[in-house]
Amino acid sequence: MSSNPGPLTINRRLHPVSILYFLIHSGKELAGLLPLIPFCIFLIHRVFGKEIDRIVLTVCVIAAAAIMLIVFAWLRWRRFVYRVEDGVLYMEQGLWVRRKIWITKERIQSLDITVSLYDRMFGLVRLEMETSGGKEEPEAVLSSISAAEAARIQREIGMADPEEAKSETSSSGDSLVQAERPNTAPLNSMRLSLGQTLILSTTSGKFAILWMVIVGGGLKLWDEWVRDTPIWDQLSPRLMVLGIPGLIVILVVLSWLLAFAGAFLLEFGFRVEAEGRTLTIERGILERKRTVIKPHRIQAIRITQNPLHKLFRRASVRMVIAGSSDEEKKAVDLFPLVRYDELPMRMAAFLPGFRLPQTWNPVGRKSYRSYTVLPVLICILLAAAAWLLAPGIWRWLAWVLPLFAWGASSLEYRKAAWSREENQLHIRYGSFSEKTVLIPISKVQWHKTSQTPFQAGKELATLKVAVASGKSGDKISLRHASASDVDMLTDWLSGKQ
């Protein structure tokens, strides 16, 4: 601790609005005690007799619990203090047990600044810091602070450029971006336009999921609630005029509108910017979120092209990151949607340490049966069971399953390939969707090979590589490749070459 206290060494408190955050936090902790409320009511009623009105007693118990939650939330807010000194974030918190946490700037892997609806009303933001240790290490959450305070903390811990000190003039959540951005335009910046948001809503997997949910939910609603009611008698003549093709078009349009609404609220305004030693990502309308990531935290890059992506000549790029304790946060969108022919230029501008492969080495013809035989045999057995059990036309449709398995496994065989360039390993896999993973050799946590008796007879093997991400890491496999290629890659990853 500094021997000369100054403005930065003074303990600070969160905005009083953060009492709502602590109220929700306390409610989650005490949720397990909810079953005790009926027991308390019953016990009091038994002790004091039937002269106590049960409704009044219930209201009193619930009111007492609510008052207790509010008092606990206020005490949590009152006892929560923090400060930043010499690049170290210090936090002191706790109601029953006082906890003191020191987080050095070297341990901070990423920083998230979120502006929710109620924060925007008060000109506040929520700042979250994640450390390299994941779940076992402390993580800092400053639930309600000003945008200027968030910018100051960001500079003090080395997650922003020093020139941003001149921009610490904003006090509202809507001006968060201006408060933390230099006056000059960044050299490496990419935004998601409205047109790209339209394409994103159509090409993302959410569109197909929504379509299936709407169709399944509509059929269930019709079968259980609408079919035998006067409403259906009024709607059926009008719907029958459209016919089956018209109904399908309506369902597709409705699914697309919902997918576009979701993509618009979550992704519109998406911006990624390379600023010196950090990557800054912003997104969202209702809840504006800003994420700052140190490049050394990126473990791998995953490029995905589904059939709709290929139709529009687009791709999506995600970063596999380390240090996250949340499985849902172990991958972050770098480009939700980008033109595939622009990808080399974008990668060079934002991630100069990653390169797209120039050539690919396919797994080889000997691998074809290893990819196709087992899935097709399993689907034949399933189709045979359906032939015996399913009625009518469904027994014939069951035989489409082996054909589908053959087509999907054949596509998987054609896409399976690998490449090795300098200090990076590239693996390509997938069936209908093609995925390419770029892995720096320095980020490989462990690797292993496996060989079944069937692979041994064909001189094939499987290579599995893991990088640090989430609680269990992220694993990528190169299946049924040539055993000599797998041995060569194993020696290379082990440093023997």
Side-chain angles (χ1 to χ4, degrees):
M1 184 173 295
S2 174
S3 59
N4 297 319
L8 295 182
T9 63
I10 299 175
N11 288 337
R12 298 172 182 251
R13 283 195 174 90
L14 305 176
H15 192 278
V17 174
S18 62
I19 294 177
L20 295 175
Y21 169 82
F22 290 111
L23 183 64
I24 297 173
H25 185 70
S26 299
K28 291 180 179 178
E29 290 183 348
L30 298 178
L33 301 179
L34 288 178
L36 295 179
I37 293 180
F39 175 76
C40 292
I41 295 173
F42 174 77
L43 183 61
I44 295 174
H45 196 272
R46 294 278 295 180
V47 172
F48 293 97
K50 298 182 178 179
E51 59 273 8
I52 300 179
D53 186 80
R54 184 168 296 179
I55 296 178
V56 175
L57 180 60
T58 302
V59 172
C60 291
V61 171
I62 294 177
I67 293 173
M68 183 176 64
L69 284 176
I70 294 174
V71 171
F72 283 174
W74 182 83
L75 289 174
R76 285 178 182 271
W77 168 78
R78 184 70 181 174
R79 294 173 68 84
F80 187 104
V81 295
Y82 73 94
R83 67 174 180 266
V84 181
E85 181 183 5
D86 297 331
V88 178
L89 174 66
Y90 167 79
M91 293 192 311
E92 187 174 338
Q93 59 183 319
L95 184 57
W96 311 111
V97 178
R98 297 294 288 167
R99 291 185 299 162
K100 299 180 180 181
I101 300 174
W102 289 264
I103 304 178
T104 62
K105 62 182 180 181
E106 291 80 10
R107 299 290 292 171
I108 297 174
Q109 297 295 306
S110 68
L111 180 145
D112 292 338
I113 301 176
T114 305
V115 185
S116 62
L117 285 176
Y118 74 88
D119 281 330
R120 190 172 296 152
M121 295 171 57
F122 298 94
L124 304 173
V125 301
R126 182 174 73 251
L127 185 144
E128 301 178 29
M129 298 180 192
E130 193 165 6
T131 61
S132 59
K135 186 176 180 181
E136 300 301 326
E137 296 292 331
E139 296 182 358
V141 178
L142 304 180
S143 56
S144 297
I145 58 177
S146 66
E149 175 70 359
R152 183 189 70 83
I153 295 174
Q154 186 175 348
R155 289 193 306 274
E156 291 297 325
I157 62 175
M159 296 292 285
D161 291 336
E163 290 79 4
E164 292 184 2
K166 300 178 181 180
S167 302
E168 190 182 328
T169 58
S170 173
S171 60
S172 66
D174 288 332
S175 56
L176 169 65
V177 178
Q178 288 80 4
E180 300 177 357
R181 192 183 302 163
N183 294 328
T184 57
L187 297 176
N188 301 328
S189 180
M190 176 182 171
R191 295 178 180 271
L192 200 65
S193 65
L194 179 60
Q196 291 173 318
T197 306
L198 289 171
I199 298 177
L200 176 63
S201 63
T202 305
T203 57
S204 67
K206 296 178 181 178
F207 172 73
I209 294 175
L210 283 172
W211 190 83
M212 290 187 291
V213 169
I214 290 176
V215 172
L219 292 175
K220 186 174 181 62
L221 180 65
W222 172 79
D223 185 60
E224 295 185 358
W225 298 96
V226 180
R227 183 175 58 177
D228 298 326
T229 63
I231 298 177
W232 177 248
D233 295 335
Q234 296 293 328
L235 290 177
S236 57
R238 295 177 175 83
L239 294 177
M240 289 302 105
V241 172
L242 299 174
I244 299 300
L247 292 176
I248 293 176
V249 170
I250 291 176
L251 290 173
V252 171
V253 172
L254 181 60
S255 303
W256 179 82
L257 288 175
L258 291 175
F260 171 71
F264 184 80
L265 294 176
L266 296 176
E267 304 292 348
F268 184 69
F270 181 94
R271 181 183 72 90
V272 57
E273 184 175 306
E275 300 176 297
R277 296 169 297 172
T278 61
L279 282 175
T280 303
I281 300 172
E282 295 180 356
R283 69 198 320 151
I285 293 181
L286 294 181
E287 185 177 75
R288 189 69 178 170
K289 188 167 186 179
R290 187 174 193 260
T291 302
V292 182
I293 299 177
K294 294 182 179 179
H296 73 266
R297 190 189 180 202
I298 303 172
Q299 305 296 295
I301 297 296
R302 193 188 304 272
I303 304 169
T304 302
Q305 268 195 304
N306 60 36
L308 291 176
H309 280 152
K310 292 184 178 180
L311 180 64
F312 290 93
R313 297 180 180 178
R314 298 295 197 275
S316 65
V317 181
R318 307 198 80 189
M319 301 178 291
V320 180
I321 57 179
S324 176
S325 60
D326 188 347
E327 288 293 317
E328 295 180 356
K329 293 183 180 180
K330 69 180 184 180
V332 177
D333 285 320
L334 177 63
F335 308 128
L337 195 70
V338 62
R339 291 183 60 90
Y340 193 79
D341 54 0
E342 294 180 358
L343 197 52
M345 176 187 65
R346 297 292 185 184
M347 293 286 291
F350 290 92
L351 296 172
F354 291 86
R355 297 173 304 279
L356 291 173
Q358 300 296 322
T359 58
W360 286 101
N361 301 294
V363 291
R365 293 185 178 181
K366 293 188 295 183
S367 305
Y368 179 73
R369 292 184 180 180
S370 298
Y371 275 96
T372 57
V373 170
L374 184 59
V376 171
L377 285 178
I378 293 175
C379 290
I380 287 176
L381 294 177
L382 294 175
W387 172 264
L388 297 176
L389 301 175
I393 192 174
W394 294 106
R395 60 171 57 187
W396 294 102
L397 291 177
W399 291 107
V400 176
L401 191 59
L403 295 177
F404 178 83
W406 173 78
S409 57
S410 297
L411 287 175
E412 187 179 6
Y413 156 75
R414 293 179 181 178
K415 288 180 170 57
W418 63 273
S419 177
R420 187 192 74 172
E421 295 184 7
E422 295 184 11
N423 61 341
Q424 285 189 19
L425 173 65
H426 310 139
I427 296 179
R428 190 180 68 190
Y429 64 97
S431 54
F432 295 102
S433 293
E434 180 180 306
K435 297 182 179 181
T436 302
V437 183
L438 315 179
I439 311 171
I441 188 173
S442 60
K443 302 298 184 181
V444 175
Q445 299 294 305
W446 55 262
H447 63 276
K448 69 177 183 179
T449 62
S450 60
Q451 189 177 52
T452 67
F454 299 100
Q455 289 177 324
K458 299 178 182 179
E459 297 182 348
L460 303 176
T462 295
L463 172 67
K464 182 174 290 187
V465 178
V467 296
S469 176
K471 300 175 183 177
S472 57
D474 196 44
K475 305 173 184 63
I476 304 97
S477 297
L478 177 64
R479 300 172 58 235
H480 308 305
S482 170
S484 58
D485 290 342
V486 171
D487 291 338
M488 181 270 296
L489 290 175
T490 300
D491 292 339
W492 176 62
L493 291 172
S494 303
K496 297 180 180 179
Q497 292 185 4

